[in-house]
Structure formats: structure tokens, C-alpha cells
mmCIF file of all heavy atoms in Angstrom:
data_model
loop_
_atom_site.group_PDB
_atom_site.id
_atom_site.type_symbol
_atom_site.label_atom_id
_atom_site.label_comp_id
_atom_site.label_asym_id
_atom_site.label_seq_id
_atom_site.Cartn_x
_atom_site.Cartn_y
_atom_site.Cartn_z
ATOM 1 N N ALA A 1 0.824 -1.200 0.000
ATOM 2 C CA ALA A 1 0.000 0.000 0.000
ATOM 3 C C ALA A 1 0.861 1.255 0.000
ATOM 4 O O ALA A 1 1.950 1.281 0.574
ATOM 5 C CB ALA A 1 -0.919 0.012 1.217
ATOM 6 N N SER A 2 0.346 2.289 -0.637
ATOM 7 C CA SER A 2 1.006 3.588 -0.632
ATOM 8 C C SER A 2 -0.044 4.682 -0.750
ATOM 9 O O SER A 2 -1.198 4.421 -1.084
ATOM 10 C CB SER A 2 2.018 3.699 -1.772
ATOM 11 O OG SER A 2 1.383 3.599 -3.032
ATOM 12 N N GLY A 3 0.347 5.910 -0.464
ATOM 13 C CA GLY A 3 -0.515 7.064 -0.665
ATOM 14 C C GLY A 3 -1.164 7.621 0.593
ATOM 15 O O GLY A 3 -1.467 8.806 0.647
ATOM 16 N N ARG A 4 -1.408 6.789 1.582
ATOM 17 C CA ARG A 4 -2.010 7.188 2.846
ATOM 18 C C ARG A 4 -1.306 6.480 3.996
ATOM 19 O O ARG A 4 -0.491 5.588 3.778
ATOM 20 C CB ARG A 4 -3.506 6.866 2.876
ATOM 21 C CG ARG A 4 -4.341 7.572 1.822
ATOM 22 C CD ARG A 4 -4.567 9.023 2.178
ATOM 23 N NE ARG A 4 -5.363 9.705 1.164
ATOM 24 C CZ ARG A 4 -6.692 9.755 1.138
ATOM 25 N NH1 ARG A 4 -7.402 9.162 2.094
ATOM 26 N NH2 ARG A 4 -7.323 10.399 0.170
ATOM 27 N N ILE A 5 -1.667 6.873 5.209
ATOM 28 C CA ILE A 5 -1.113 6.207 6.385
ATOM 29 C C ILE A 5 -1.746 4.828 6.498
ATOM 30 O O ILE A 5 -2.937 4.692 6.751
ATOM 31 C CB ILE A 5 -1.355 7.028 7.655
ATOM 32 C CG1 ILE A 5 -0.681 8.402 7.541
ATOM 33 C CG2 ILE A 5 -0.833 6.285 8.881
ATOM 34 C CD1 ILE A 5 -0.996 9.334 8.695
ATOM 35 N N PHE A 6 -0.932 3.794 6.305
ATOM 36 C CA PHE A 6 -1.420 2.432 6.213
ATOM 37 C C PHE A 6 -2.165 2.002 7.467
ATOM 38 O O PHE A 6 -3.176 1.297 7.386
ATOM 39 C CB PHE A 6 -0.243 1.501 5.917
ATOM 40 C CG PHE A 6 -0.618 0.071 5.717
ATOM 41 C CD1 PHE A 6 -1.415 -0.314 4.654
ATOM 42 C CD2 PHE A 6 -0.150 -0.905 6.583
ATOM 43 C CE1 PHE A 6 -1.754 -1.643 4.457
ATOM 44 C CE2 PHE A 6 -0.476 -2.234 6.391
ATOM 45 C CZ PHE A 6 -1.275 -2.605 5.329
ATOM 46 N N SER A 7 -1.681 2.399 8.630
ATOM 47 C CA SER A 7 -2.279 1.954 9.877
ATOM 48 C C SER A 7 -3.663 2.548 10.128
ATOM 49 O O SER A 7 -4.338 2.142 11.071
ATOM 50 C CB SER A 7 -1.359 2.261 11.060
ATOM 51 O OG SER A 7 -1.108 3.656 11.161
ATOM 52 N N ASP A 8 -4.125 3.476 9.303
ATOM 53 C CA ASP A 8 -5.478 4.018 9.424
ATOM 54 C C ASP A 8 -6.536 3.099 8.826
ATOM 55 O O ASP A 8 -7.724 3.374 8.966
ATOM 56 C CB ASP A 8 -5.585 5.378 8.723
ATOM 57 C CG ASP A 8 -4.913 6.496 9.494
ATOM 58 O OD1 ASP A 8 -4.560 6.299 10.670
ATOM 59 O OD2 ASP A 8 -4.752 7.582 8.907
ATOM 60 N N TYR A 9 -6.133 2.021 8.162
ATOM 61 C CA TYR A 9 -7.056 1.226 7.362
ATOM 62 C C TYR A 9 -7.146 -0.215 7.824
ATOM 63 O O TYR A 9 -6.139 -0.874 8.086
ATOM 64 C CB TYR A 9 -6.623 1.246 5.886
ATOM 65 C CG TYR A 9 -6.792 2.600 5.257
ATOM 66 C CD1 TYR A 9 -5.802 3.565 5.371
ATOM 67 C CD2 TYR A 9 -7.955 2.914 4.567
ATOM 68 C CE1 TYR A 9 -5.964 4.820 4.816
ATOM 69 C CE2 TYR A 9 -8.122 4.166 4.009
ATOM 70 C CZ TYR A 9 -7.127 5.112 4.135
ATOM 71 O OH TYR A 9 -7.294 6.357 3.582
ATOM 72 N N ASN A 10 -8.393 -0.700 7.905
ATOM 73 C CA ASN A 10 -8.629 -2.133 7.917
ATOM 74 C C ASN A 10 -8.354 -2.660 6.509
ATOM 75 O O ASN A 10 -8.567 -1.959 5.519
ATOM 76 C CB ASN A 10 -10.075 -2.454 8.294
ATOM 77 C CG ASN A 10 -10.460 -1.902 9.651
ATOM 78 O OD1 ASN A 10 -9.682 -1.943 10.598
ATOM 79 N ND2 ASN A 10 -11.679 -1.395 9.750
ATOM 80 N N MET A 11 -7.903 -3.907 6.423
ATOM 81 C CA MET A 11 -7.558 -4.486 5.134
ATOM 82 C C MET A 11 -8.288 -5.813 4.944
ATOM 83 O O MET A 11 -8.461 -6.577 5.888
ATOM 84 C CB MET A 11 -6.056 -4.716 5.022
ATOM 85 C CG MET A 11 -5.213 -3.452 5.158
ATOM 86 S SD MET A 11 -5.489 -2.265 3.802
ATOM 87 C CE MET A 11 -4.910 -3.225 2.398
ATOM 88 N N GLY A 12 -8.684 -6.064 3.709
ATOM 89 C CA GLY A 12 -9.379 -7.294 3.397
ATOM 90 C C GLY A 12 -8.834 -7.964 2.153
ATOM 91 O O GLY A 12 -8.211 -7.322 1.306
ATOM 92 N N TRP A 13 -9.066 -9.275 2.058
ATOM 93 C CA TRP A 13 -8.805 -10.055 0.859
ATOM 94 C C TRP A 13 -10.123 -10.621 0.349
ATOM 95 O O TRP A 13 -10.929 -11.157 1.127
ATOM 96 C CB TRP A 13 -7.829 -11.202 1.125
ATOM 97 C CG TRP A 13 -6.400 -10.785 1.296
ATOM 98 C CD1 TRP A 13 -5.731 -10.588 2.453
ATOM 99 C CD2 TRP A 13 -5.461 -10.538 0.239
ATOM 100 N NE1 TRP A 13 -4.429 -10.231 2.206
ATOM 101 C CE2 TRP A 13 -4.236 -10.191 0.853
ATOM 102 C CE3 TRP A 13 -5.532 -10.574 -1.156
ATOM 103 C CZ2 TRP A 13 -3.088 -9.880 0.116
ATOM 104 C CZ3 TRP A 13 -4.393 -10.261 -1.886
ATOM 105 C CH2 TRP A 13 -3.198 -9.925 -1.249
ATOM 106 N N PHE A 14 -10.318 -10.510 -0.959
ATOM 107 C CA PHE A 14 -11.482 -11.048 -1.648
ATOM 108 C C PHE A 14 -11.012 -11.847 -2.846
ATOM 109 O O PHE A 14 -9.877 -11.692 -3.301
ATOM 110 C CB PHE A 14 -12.416 -9.923 -2.101
ATOM 111 C CG PHE A 14 -13.023 -9.134 -0.974
ATOM 112 C CD1 PHE A 14 -12.290 -8.161 -0.321
ATOM 113 C CD2 PHE A 14 -14.323 -9.368 -0.563
ATOM 114 C CE1 PHE A 14 -12.835 -7.428 0.723
ATOM 115 C CE2 PHE A 14 -14.883 -8.646 0.473
ATOM 116 C CZ PHE A 14 -14.138 -7.681 1.119
ATOM 117 N N ARG A 15 -11.887 -12.685 -3.379
ATOM 118 C CA ARG A 15 -11.537 -13.428 -4.585
ATOM 119 C C ARG A 15 -12.749 -13.536 -5.494
ATOM 120 O O ARG A 15 -13.891 -13.459 -5.055
ATOM 121 C CB ARG A 15 -10.984 -14.814 -4.251
ATOM 122 C CG ARG A 15 -11.967 -15.757 -3.573
ATOM 123 C CD ARG A 15 -11.243 -17.010 -3.095
ATOM 124 N NE ARG A 15 -12.149 -17.973 -2.499
ATOM 125 C CZ ARG A 15 -11.760 -19.095 -1.901
ATOM 126 N NH1 ARG A 15 -10.465 -19.390 -1.822
ATOM 127 N NH2 ARG A 15 -12.657 -19.925 -1.383
ATOM 128 N N ARG A 16 -12.471 -13.727 -6.793
ATOM 129 C CA ARG A 16 -13.539 -13.790 -7.763
ATOM 130 C C ARG A 16 -13.187 -14.773 -8.880
ATOM 131 O O ARG A 16 -12.061 -14.773 -9.384
ATOM 132 C CB ARG A 16 -13.805 -12.416 -8.369
ATOM 133 C CG ARG A 16 -14.992 -12.392 -9.317
ATOM 134 C CD ARG A 16 -15.249 -10.995 -9.838
ATOM 135 N NE ARG A 16 -16.352 -10.983 -10.767
ATOM 136 C CZ ARG A 16 -17.620 -10.818 -10.426
ATOM 137 N NH1 ARG A 16 -17.952 -10.623 -9.152
ATOM 138 N NH2 ARG A 16 -18.563 -10.824 -11.352
ATOM 139 N N VAL A 17 -14.167 -15.593 -9.247
ATOM 140 C CA VAL A 17 -14.089 -16.480 -10.400
ATOM 141 C C VAL A 17 -14.997 -15.895 -11.473
ATOM 142 O O VAL A 17 -16.107 -15.443 -11.159
ATOM 143 C CB VAL A 17 -14.533 -17.906 -10.034
ATOM 144 C CG1 VAL A 17 -14.554 -18.805 -11.260
ATOM 145 C CG2 VAL A 17 -13.622 -18.485 -8.961
ATOM 146 N N PRO A 18 -14.577 -15.874 -12.742
ATOM 147 C CA PRO A 18 -15.448 -15.341 -13.791
ATOM 148 C C PRO A 18 -16.821 -15.985 -13.787
ATOM 149 O O PRO A 18 -16.947 -17.212 -13.690
ATOM 150 C CB PRO A 18 -14.683 -15.668 -15.078
ATOM 151 C CG PRO A 18 -13.259 -15.676 -14.657
ATOM 152 C CD PRO A 18 -13.261 -16.259 -13.269
ATOM 153 N N GLY A 19 -17.856 -15.146 -13.856
ATOM 154 C CA GLY A 19 -19.218 -15.627 -13.844
ATOM 155 C C GLY A 19 -19.804 -15.849 -12.468
ATOM 156 O O GLY A 19 -20.981 -16.211 -12.359
ATOM 157 N N LYS A 20 -19.016 -15.646 -11.413
ATOM 158 C CA LYS A 20 -19.492 -15.812 -10.053
ATOM 159 C C LYS A 20 -19.309 -14.515 -9.272
ATOM 160 O O LYS A 20 -18.538 -13.640 -9.659
ATOM 161 C CB LYS A 20 -18.746 -16.944 -9.348
ATOM 162 C CG LYS A 20 -18.930 -18.303 -9.995
ATOM 163 C CD LYS A 20 -18.215 -19.388 -9.218
ATOM 164 C CE LYS A 20 -18.855 -19.620 -7.859
ATOM 165 N NZ LYS A 20 -18.202 -20.736 -7.121
ATOM 166 N N GLU A 21 -20.027 -14.413 -8.172
ATOM 167 C CA GLU A 21 -19.948 -13.225 -7.333
ATOM 168 C C GLU A 21 -18.613 -13.163 -6.595
ATOM 169 O O GLU A 21 -18.007 -14.184 -6.281
ATOM 170 C CB GLU A 21 -21.100 -13.211 -6.323
ATOM 171 C CG GLU A 21 -22.472 -13.102 -6.945
ATOM 172 C CD GLU A 21 -23.575 -13.096 -5.915
ATOM 173 O OE1 GLU A 21 -23.286 -13.207 -4.705
ATOM 174 O OE2 GLU A 21 -24.746 -12.978 -6.306
ATOM 175 N N ARG A 22 -18.175 -11.942 -6.328
ATOM 176 C CA ARG A 22 -16.999 -11.744 -5.509
ATOM 177 C C ARG A 22 -17.219 -12.329 -4.120
ATOM 178 O O ARG A 22 -18.288 -12.176 -3.524
ATOM 179 C CB ARG A 22 -16.704 -10.248 -5.423
ATOM 180 C CG ARG A 22 -15.485 -9.876 -4.611
ATOM 181 C CD ARG A 22 -15.246 -8.379 -4.697
ATOM 182 N NE ARG A 22 -16.412 -7.624 -4.268
ATOM 183 C CZ ARG A 22 -16.602 -6.340 -4.535
ATOM 184 N NH1 ARG A 22 -15.714 -5.667 -5.257
ATOM 185 N NH2 ARG A 22 -17.694 -5.720 -4.096
ATOM 186 N N GLU A 23 -16.201 -12.973 -3.593
ATOM 187 C CA GLU A 23 -16.301 -13.694 -2.338
ATOM 188 C C GLU A 23 -15.327 -13.126 -1.311
ATOM 189 O O GLU A 23 -14.142 -12.935 -1.592
ATOM 190 C CB GLU A 23 -16.005 -15.183 -2.564
ATOM 191 C CG GLU A 23 -16.044 -16.039 -1.305
ATOM 192 C CD GLU A 23 -15.598 -17.467 -1.558
ATOM 193 O OE1 GLU A 23 -14.972 -17.724 -2.605
ATOM 194 O OE2 GLU A 23 -15.888 -18.328 -0.711
ATOM 195 N N PHE A 24 -15.825 -12.887 -0.120
ATOM 196 C CA PHE A 24 -14.983 -12.485 0.993
ATOM 197 C C PHE A 24 -14.067 -13.631 1.391
ATOM 198 O O PHE A 24 -14.494 -14.787 1.450
ATOM 199 C CB PHE A 24 -15.853 -12.069 2.183
ATOM 200 C CG PHE A 24 -15.104 -11.934 3.477
ATOM 201 C CD1 PHE A 24 -14.325 -10.821 3.736
ATOM 202 C CD2 PHE A 24 -15.171 -12.927 4.436
ATOM 203 C CE1 PHE A 24 -13.638 -10.689 4.929
ATOM 204 C CE2 PHE A 24 -14.491 -12.817 5.630
ATOM 205 C CZ PHE A 24 -13.718 -11.694 5.873
ATOM 206 N N VAL A 25 -12.811 -13.319 1.681
ATOM 207 C CA VAL A 25 -11.840 -14.320 2.106
ATOM 208 C C VAL A 25 -11.393 -14.080 3.544
ATOM 209 O O VAL A 25 -11.499 -14.962 4.393
ATOM 210 C CB VAL A 25 -10.615 -14.348 1.175
ATOM 211 C CG1 VAL A 25 -9.573 -15.340 1.690
ATOM 212 C CG2 VAL A 25 -11.037 -14.700 -0.245
ATOM 213 N N ALA A 26 -10.877 -12.884 3.823
ATOM 214 C CA ALA A 26 -10.347 -12.586 5.150
ATOM 215 C C ALA A 26 -10.193 -11.083 5.304
ATOM 216 O O ALA A 26 -10.109 -10.348 4.324
ATOM 217 C CB ALA A 26 -8.993 -13.267 5.376
ATOM 218 N N CYS A 27 -10.135 -10.622 6.545
ATOM 219 C CA CYS A 27 -9.862 -9.214 6.806
ATOM 220 C C CYS A 27 -9.123 -9.084 8.122
ATOM 221 O O CYS A 27 -9.106 -10.007 8.944
ATOM 222 C CB CYS A 27 -11.136 -8.361 6.796
ATOM 223 S SG CYS A 27 -12.400 -8.863 7.967
ATOM 224 N N ILE A 28 -8.515 -7.916 8.321
ATOM 225 C CA ILE A 28 -7.702 -7.671 9.501
ATOM 226 C C ILE A 28 -7.849 -6.212 9.904
ATOM 227 O O ILE A 28 -7.920 -5.320 9.062
ATOM 228 C CB ILE A 28 -6.227 -8.051 9.227
ATOM 229 C CG1 ILE A 28 -5.387 -7.963 10.500
ATOM 230 C CG2 ILE A 28 -5.636 -7.183 8.116
ATOM 231 C CD1 ILE A 28 -4.014 -8.623 10.348
ATOM 232 N N SER A 29 -7.909 -5.966 11.214
ATOM 233 C CA SER A 29 -8.085 -4.616 11.720
ATOM 234 C C SER A 29 -6.826 -3.787 11.532
ATOM 235 O O SER A 29 -5.741 -4.304 11.235
ATOM 236 C CB SER A 29 -8.467 -4.654 13.196
ATOM 237 O OG SER A 29 -7.418 -5.206 13.982
ATOM 238 N N TRP A 30 -6.976 -2.483 11.730
ATOM 239 C CA TRP A 30 -5.865 -1.554 11.503
ATOM 240 C C TRP A 30 -4.634 -1.901 12.324
ATOM 241 O O TRP A 30 -3.503 -1.697 11.881
ATOM 242 C CB TRP A 30 -6.309 -0.119 11.810
ATOM 243 C CG TRP A 30 -6.603 0.119 13.265
ATOM 244 C CD1 TRP A 30 -7.796 -0.071 13.909
ATOM 245 C CD2 TRP A 30 -5.689 0.566 14.260
ATOM 246 N NE1 TRP A 30 -7.680 0.234 15.241
ATOM 247 C CE2 TRP A 30 -6.393 0.634 15.482
ATOM 248 C CE3 TRP A 30 -4.341 0.937 14.243
ATOM 249 C CZ2 TRP A 30 -5.787 1.043 16.678
ATOM 250 C CZ3 TRP A 30 -3.741 1.345 15.431
ATOM 251 C CH2 TRP A 30 -4.465 1.397 16.626
ATOM 252 N N SER A 31 -4.843 -2.419 13.527
ATOM 253 C CA SER A 31 -3.737 -2.750 14.413
ATOM 254 C C SER A 31 -3.229 -4.174 14.223
ATOM 255 O O SER A 31 -2.169 -4.518 14.753
ATOM 256 C CB SER A 31 -4.169 -2.574 15.864
ATOM 257 O OG SER A 31 -5.159 -3.519 16.215
ATOM 258 N N GLY A 32 -3.978 -4.985 13.499
ATOM 259 C CA GLY A 32 -3.657 -6.395 13.377
ATOM 260 C C GLY A 32 -4.185 -7.251 14.503
ATOM 261 O O GLY A 32 -3.970 -8.467 14.503
ATOM 262 N N GLY A 33 -4.891 -6.639 15.460
ATOM 263 C CA GLY A 33 -5.346 -7.370 16.627
ATOM 264 C C GLY A 33 -6.593 -8.201 16.428
ATOM 265 O O GLY A 33 -6.883 -9.066 17.253
ATOM 266 N N THR A 34 -7.342 -7.943 15.363
ATOM 267 C CA THR A 34 -8.578 -8.659 15.095
ATOM 268 C C THR A 34 -8.577 -9.148 13.663
ATOM 269 O O THR A 34 -8.205 -8.405 12.749
ATOM 270 C CB THR A 34 -9.801 -7.763 15.326
ATOM 271 O OG1 THR A 34 -9.767 -7.229 16.650
ATOM 272 C CG2 THR A 34 -11.091 -8.552 15.144
ATOM 273 N N THR A 35 -8.980 -10.400 13.455
ATOM 274 C CA THR A 35 -9.090 -10.971 12.116
ATOM 275 C C THR A 35 -10.424 -11.679 11.957
ATOM 276 O O THR A 35 -11.085 -12.030 12.936
ATOM 277 C CB THR A 35 -7.953 -11.961 11.825
ATOM 278 O OG1 THR A 35 -7.974 -13.012 12.800
ATOM 279 C CG2 THR A 35 -6.598 -11.266 11.866
ATOM 280 N N ASP A 36 -10.808 -11.893 10.708
ATOM 281 C CA ASP A 36 -12.032 -12.608 10.381
ATOM 282 C C ASP A 36 -11.777 -13.386 9.101
ATOM 283 O O ASP A 36 -11.062 -12.907 8.213
ATOM 284 C CB ASP A 36 -13.197 -11.638 10.209
ATOM 285 C CG ASP A 36 -14.544 -12.327 10.107
ATOM 286 O OD1 ASP A 36 -14.685 -13.451 10.622
ATOM 287 O OD2 ASP A 36 -15.468 -11.724 9.524
ATOM 288 N N TYR A 37 -12.369 -14.593 9.002
ATOM 289 C CA TYR A 37 -12.153 -15.464 7.857
ATOM 290 C C TYR A 37 -13.458 -16.058 7.367
ATOM 291 O O TYR A 37 -14.358 -16.356 8.162
ATOM 292 C CB TYR A 37 -11.217 -16.620 8.219
ATOM 293 C CG TYR A 37 -9.832 -16.210 8.625
ATOM 294 C CD1 TYR A 37 -9.512 -15.965 9.951
ATOM 295 C CD2 TYR A 37 -8.825 -16.077 7.666
ATOM 296 C CE1 TYR A 37 -8.233 -15.594 10.321
ATOM 297 C CE2 TYR A 37 -7.547 -15.711 8.030
ATOM 298 C CZ TYR A 37 -7.252 -15.467 9.355
ATOM 299 O OH TYR A 37 -5.973 -15.098 9.716
ATOM 300 N N ALA A 38 -13.539 -16.243 6.063
ATOM 301 C CA ALA A 38 -14.627 -17.033 5.512
ATOM 302 C C ALA A 38 -14.495 -18.478 5.977
ATOM 303 O O ALA A 38 -13.383 -18.993 6.149
ATOM 304 C CB ALA A 38 -14.606 -16.971 3.987
ATOM 305 N N ASP A 39 -15.640 -19.139 6.181
ATOM 306 C CA ASP A 39 -15.610 -20.524 6.639
ATOM 307 C C ASP A 39 -14.830 -21.425 5.684
ATOM 308 O O ASP A 39 -14.188 -22.389 6.114
ATOM 309 C CB ASP A 39 -17.026 -21.055 6.805
ATOM 310 C CG ASP A 39 -17.746 -20.454 7.993
ATOM 311 O OD1 ASP A 39 -17.081 -19.893 8.888
ATOM 312 O OD2 ASP A 39 -18.985 -20.551 8.039
ATOM 313 N N SER A 40 -14.866 -21.121 4.402
ATOM 314 C CA SER A 40 -14.227 -21.963 3.406
ATOM 315 C C SER A 40 -12.704 -21.970 3.505
ATOM 316 O O SER A 40 -12.063 -22.892 2.989
ATOM 317 C CB SER A 40 -14.641 -21.532 1.999
ATOM 318 O OG SER A 40 -14.278 -20.187 1.754
ATOM 319 N N VAL A 41 -12.124 -20.959 4.149
ATOM 320 C CA VAL A 41 -10.669 -20.871 4.250
ATOM 321 C C VAL A 41 -10.171 -20.938 5.682
ATOM 322 O O VAL A 41 -8.951 -21.021 5.903
ATOM 323 C CB VAL A 41 -10.131 -19.595 3.571
ATOM 324 C CG1 VAL A 41 -10.640 -19.493 2.143
ATOM 325 C CG2 VAL A 41 -10.502 -18.345 4.366
ATOM 326 N N LYS A 42 -11.054 -20.914 6.651
ATOM 327 C CA LYS A 42 -10.663 -20.905 8.055
ATOM 328 C C LYS A 42 -9.839 -22.143 8.378
ATOM 329 O O LYS A 42 -10.205 -23.262 8.025
ATOM 330 C CB LYS A 42 -11.901 -20.821 8.939
ATOM 331 C CG LYS A 42 -11.624 -20.489 10.392
ATOM 332 C CD LYS A 42 -12.918 -20.235 11.150
ATOM 333 C CE LYS A 42 -13.655 -19.022 10.602
ATOM 334 N NZ LYS A 42 -14.890 -18.710 11.374
ATOM 335 N N GLY A 43 -8.729 -21.935 9.049
ATOM 336 C CA GLY A 43 -7.829 -23.019 9.386
ATOM 337 C C GLY A 43 -6.773 -23.290 8.340
ATOM 338 O O GLY A 43 -5.804 -24.011 8.626
ATOM 339 N N ARG A 44 -6.938 -22.754 7.144
ATOM 340 C CA ARG A 44 -5.974 -22.938 6.062
ATOM 341 C C ARG A 44 -5.257 -21.648 5.684
ATOM 342 O O ARG A 44 -4.086 -21.679 5.328
ATOM 343 C CB ARG A 44 -6.656 -23.507 4.819
ATOM 344 C CG ARG A 44 -7.320 -24.855 5.040
ATOM 345 C CD ARG A 44 -7.814 -25.449 3.731
ATOM 346 N NE ARG A 44 -8.839 -24.607 3.096
ATOM 347 C CZ ARG A 44 -8.719 -24.050 1.896
ATOM 348 N NH1 ARG A 44 -7.617 -24.245 1.183
ATOM 349 N NH2 ARG A 44 -9.701 -23.312 1.397
ATOM 350 N N PHE A 45 -5.969 -20.531 5.737
ATOM 351 C CA PHE A 45 -5.416 -19.233 5.357
ATOM 352 C C PHE A 45 -5.164 -18.397 6.600
ATOM 353 O O PHE A 45 -5.899 -18.487 7.593
ATOM 354 C CB PHE A 45 -6.381 -18.463 4.451
ATOM 355 C CG PHE A 45 -6.562 -19.031 3.076
ATOM 356 C CD1 PHE A 45 -6.080 -20.281 2.723
ATOM 357 C CD2 PHE A 45 -7.234 -18.290 2.115
ATOM 358 C CE1 PHE A 45 -6.258 -20.794 1.453
ATOM 359 C CE2 PHE A 45 -7.419 -18.783 0.840
ATOM 360 C CZ PHE A 45 -6.939 -20.033 0.505
#
């Protein structure tokens, strides 16, 4: 990331297959202290 103060932002990962809806994968709070995962990747990612 560039352009702004990185620590001001929560960050997420998403994925998409052509012809299908965008899917949430994981996210992390600005401090890194909190995370969330899609059930499909929990325990692996």
C-alpha cells in the first residue's frame, strides 16, 4: 500500500471467479489485533 497512512485502514482479501460473485476471504483490523475469515478458508489461510 502507498498514498495514505497504512495503519489508518482495515484491510481485506477477496476473490472472484469469472461468472461468479466476488467472495470475501479474510480481513484484519488496523492494528492487526482482530481478524475474520470465511468458513471456506478458516484453518488454512
Side-chain angles (χ1 to χ4, degrees):
S2 63
R4 299 284 180 88
I5 299 174
F6 183 64
S7 60
D8 286 348
Y9 292 85
N10 302 320
M11 300 295 297
W13 286 98
F14 296 79
R15 64 189 183 186
R16 185 177 178 89
V17 176
K20 298 182 68 177
E21 296 180 358
R22 181 176 56 197
E23 178 186 16
F24 167 78
V25 176
C27 58
I28 187 167
S29 64
W30 67 272
S31 67
T34 305
T35 58
D36 190 25
Y37 297 91
D39 289 342
S40 59
V41 307
K42 193 172 297 183
R44 300 188 298 119
F45 291 11

